[in-house]
Amino acid sequence: MAGGKQGRLSDEHIQRIVEMTLEIQKKKEAEERKARYDRRFMNTKLLLKNFRAFADMENSSIYEASQCSDDAYEILSTMFDQPSMDELRVESIKKSAGRTKIIMEHIRAALESYRKHCLRTGRTEDDRRYRTVCRLFIDEDAWTAQDIAAGEHVDIRTVYNDMNEAISALTPRIFGIDGLKPTDVSKSLH
C-alpha cells in the first residue's frame, strides 16, 4: 500500500454515493406517501361502504355525540391503526355510539363540501360522480353499478371510475392533508 491511496474513495465516488443514497431515500419516502394515501383511500371507501349501517346505528342510539369526548380526527386516526390487545376488547356502547355519531357528522360534512365543489365546477362529470357515490353508498335506496350505468347512460366502467374519482376527492375531505394524493402534494411543493 504505497502512499495509502488504495483504500480511499475519490471525491467523485463519494459524490455519486451521496446522490444514490438521496435518490434511494426519495423513492422510499414516495413509496411511504403512496402507501399512506392508499390506506386512507381504502379507509374512505370502507367508511362509505358502511355508511348506511352507521346511519342505522346512529338513528337507533340513545346516546348523543356530545357525550363523547373524542373528536373526528382523533377517532379516525385511532380507528384504522393496529389496535393493541386491550383495545380489541369491546368498547362501551355509549362511547361507540358517540364516536359513530361524530364520524357520521364528519362524513356528512365531507360529502357536503364535495357536493358544493361539484356544483362550483359546473362539470357534468363531477355532478355524475357525486350522484354515483351517493347512490352507491349514501342514499337510503342503494343502486347497483348496473342501475347507475343505465340511469346515467354510461358504461359500467365509467361508474367504477366515477366512484374512484369521488372517493379520491372525498379522502382529503375526511382525513385532511393526510388524505392528499402524493402527486397532489408534490405538485403543490413545486
Side-chain angles (χ1 to χ4, degrees), residues 33 102-103 129 179:
R33 278 192 305 273
I102 289 169
I103 291 302
R129 289 172 182 156

Side-chain angles (χ1 to χ4, degrees), residues 13-25:
H13 282 108
I14 292 171
Q15 181 63 30
R16 181 66 185 136
I17 290 169
V18 168
E19 289 171 2
M20 289 172 60
T21 303
L22 289 173
E23 190 176 312
I24 290 168
Q25 184 62 30

Side-chain angles (χ1 to χ4, degrees), residues 12-133:
E12 293 172 18
H13 282 108
I14 292 171
Q15 181 63 30
R16 181 66 185 136
I17 290 169
V18 168
E19 289 171 2
M20 289 172 60
T21 303
L22 289 173
E23 190 176 312
I24 290 168
Q25 184 62 30
K26 282 182 183 179
K27 284 182 182 179
K28 183 178 176 187
E29 288 171 0
E31 288 170 2
E32 288 171 0
R33 278 192 305 273
K34 183 182 179 331
R36 269 193 312 273
Y37 172 77
D38 290 347
R39 280 192 307 275
R40 299 290 189 231
F41 180 92
M42 293 307 297
N43 290 341
T44 299
K45 193 173 185 177
L46 182 64
L47 287 168
L48 291 172
K49 282 184 174 183
N50 288 285
F51 185 89
R52 289 183 185 99
F54 293 154
D56 288 344
M57 286 174 50
E58 178 186 38
N59 293 332
S60 64
S61 173
I62 61 171
Y63 297 103
E64 295 297 319
S66 62
Q67 293 174 295
C68 181
S69 62
D70 298 338
D71 66 21
Y73 291 106
E74 184 179 334
I75 295 167
L76 286 168
S77 66
T78 59
M79 13 196 316
F80 295 111
D81 290 339
Q82 291 294 335
S84 68
M85 289 307 288
D86 289 339
E87 292 171 324
L88 288 175
R89 292 192 178 94
V90 177
E91 289 185 88
S92 73
I93 293 172
K94 182 177 178 179
K95 185 170 182 170
S96 180
R99 290 168 53 117
T100 300
K101 286 184 182 229
I102 289 169
I103 291 302
M104 291 299 287
E105 290 170 9
H106 188 67
I107 294 169
R108 285 186 182 104
L111 285 162
E112 179 61 15
S113 168
Y114 181 54
R115 184 189 68 78
K116 288 178 180 177
H117 164 78
C118 292
L119 285 173
R120 274 193 311 272
T121 67
R123 295 173 38 183
T124 56
E125 60 269 22
D126 286 340
D127 290 337
R128 187 185 66 231
R129 289 172 182 156
Y130 177 77
R131 284 191 306 272
T132 296
V133 80

Side-chain angles (χ1 to χ4, degrees), residues 171-182:
T171 299
R173 287 172 168 84
I174 293 174
F175 289 100
I177 195 157
D178 291 334
L180 288 176
K181 276 186 182 178

Side-chain angles (χ1 to χ4, degrees), residues 1-17:
M1 285 201 186
K5 285 197 164 203
Q6 289 178 334
R8 278 186 53 136
L9 294 173
S10 70
D11 288 343
E12 293 172 18
H13 282 108
I14 292 171
Q15 181 63 30
R16 181 66 185 136
I17 290 169

